[in-house]
């Protein structure tokens, strides 16, 4: 594991280097999918269809009284991109569907359904400075989380024309720092908040 914190400038080159090495060693096991484009209204989405049985191992039964396996407690060294902060480490997603899928994981166990903290946002902001992609947090099993250890996710832009996410085509201009607005084009309750200084 690196001892110096990962800087935004180093994130992308380090991601490429670790990806190449993890593919060579077999630590990274991408899941093959077929990408299809779907247009809904003014947004164009990329949908991934699983083309074969996933490599992801089925959870093994946990003996009574034993703690479930936590892949983030001691991450595979070949998947570690670097330390983001004293409390967070950046890893490659072992079973990625999208190339260069990163995880920003709390070093100490925190529950995946816990609220995000200022430290979580700071760690993610550091990574977003180096990779301006789509960041998300599945807050618990009902939101799609497959691991109980708190982790945020970051993927390179997925939309056409360099959009981080297709929904950006439906959003108004993002508000300045500290401002909150609602966009009229989305058919569900939402707010947009400006982040930064």
């Amino acid at each position: 594991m690196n001892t110096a914190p990962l800087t935004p400038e180093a994130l992308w080159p380090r991601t490429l280097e670790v990806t190449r090495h993890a593919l060579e060693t077999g630590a990274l096991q991408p899941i093959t999918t077929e990408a299809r484009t779907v247009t809904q209204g003014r947004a164009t989405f990329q949908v991934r269809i699983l083309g074969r049985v996933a490599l992801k191992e089925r959870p093994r039964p946990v003996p009574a009284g034993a703690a479930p396996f936590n892949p983030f407690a001691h991450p595979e060294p070949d998947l570690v991109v670097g330390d983001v902060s004293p409390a967070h480490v950046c890893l490659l997603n072992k079973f990625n569907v999208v190339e260069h899928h990163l995880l920003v994981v709390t070093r100490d166990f925190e529950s995946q359904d816990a609220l995000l903290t200022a430290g979580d946002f700071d760690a993610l902001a550091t990574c977003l400075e180096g990779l301006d992609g789509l960041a998300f947090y599945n807050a618990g099993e009902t939101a799609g989380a497959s691991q109980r250890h708190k982790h945020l996710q970051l993927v390179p832009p997925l939309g056409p024309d360099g959009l981080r996410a297709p929904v950006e085509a439906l959003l108004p201009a993002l508000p300045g720092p500290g401002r909150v607005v609602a966009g009229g084009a989305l058919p569900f309750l939402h707010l947009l908040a400006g982040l930064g200084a």
Side-chain angles (χ1 to χ4, degrees):
M1 223 180 276
N2 293 343
T3 54
L6 193 62
T7 63
E9 301 77 29
L11 176 67
W12 185 244
R14 179 80 179 136
T15 298
L16 295 176
E17 174 189 333
V18 173
T19 298
R20 182 182 39 74
H21 177 73
L23 285 169
E24 288 171 359
T25 64
L28 187 62
Q29 298 182 19
I31 297 173
T32 303
T33 59
E34 178 187 338
R36 293 193 185 162
T37 301
V38 176
T39 301
Q40 177 71 40
R42 294 182 316 168
T44 301
F45 297 87
Q46 184 183 89
V47 177
R48 299 272 180 159
I49 300 167
L50 185 62
R52 61 185 169 91
V53 175
L55 291 174
K56 204 170 192 178
E57 293 180 13
R58 291 187 177 150
R60 295 182 189 128
V62 178
F69 175 69
N70 180 354
F72 301 143
H74 303 287
E76 290 181 55
D78 288 344
L79 298 176
V80 176
V81 176
D83 297 334
V84 182
S85 70
H88 295 83
V89 64
C90 181
L91 313 171
L92 294 177
N93 184 343
K94 181 176 185 73
F95 300 104
N96 60 326
V97 169
V98 176
E99 193 174 27
H100 309 305
H101 183 165
L102 300 175
L103 304 175
V104 179
V105 179
T106 57
R107 198 171 294 287
D108 294 328
F109 180 83
E110 292 181 44
S111 179
Q112 183 66 12
D113 57 6
L115 295 176
L116 294 174
T117 66
D120 296 328
F121 278 106
D122 287 343
L124 186 59
T126 296
C127 292
L128 281 167
E129 284 182 54
L131 174 60
D132 189 17
L134 171 67
F136 57 97
Y137 176 62
N138 295 339
E141 190 176 344
T142 57
S146 61
Q147 299 296 333
R148 291 186 56 242
H149 188 129
K150 187 191 266 186
H151 60 286
L152 296 90
Q153 301 185 54
L154 176 59
V155 294
L158 299 174
D161 304 321
L163 294 177
R164 287 174 293 274
V167 74
E168 280 187 280
L170 305 177
L171 301 178
L174 294 177
R179 295 197 49 229
V180 177
V181 299
L186 298 176
F188 51 84
L189 182 62
H190 66 283
L191 293 173
L192 304 171
L195 302 176

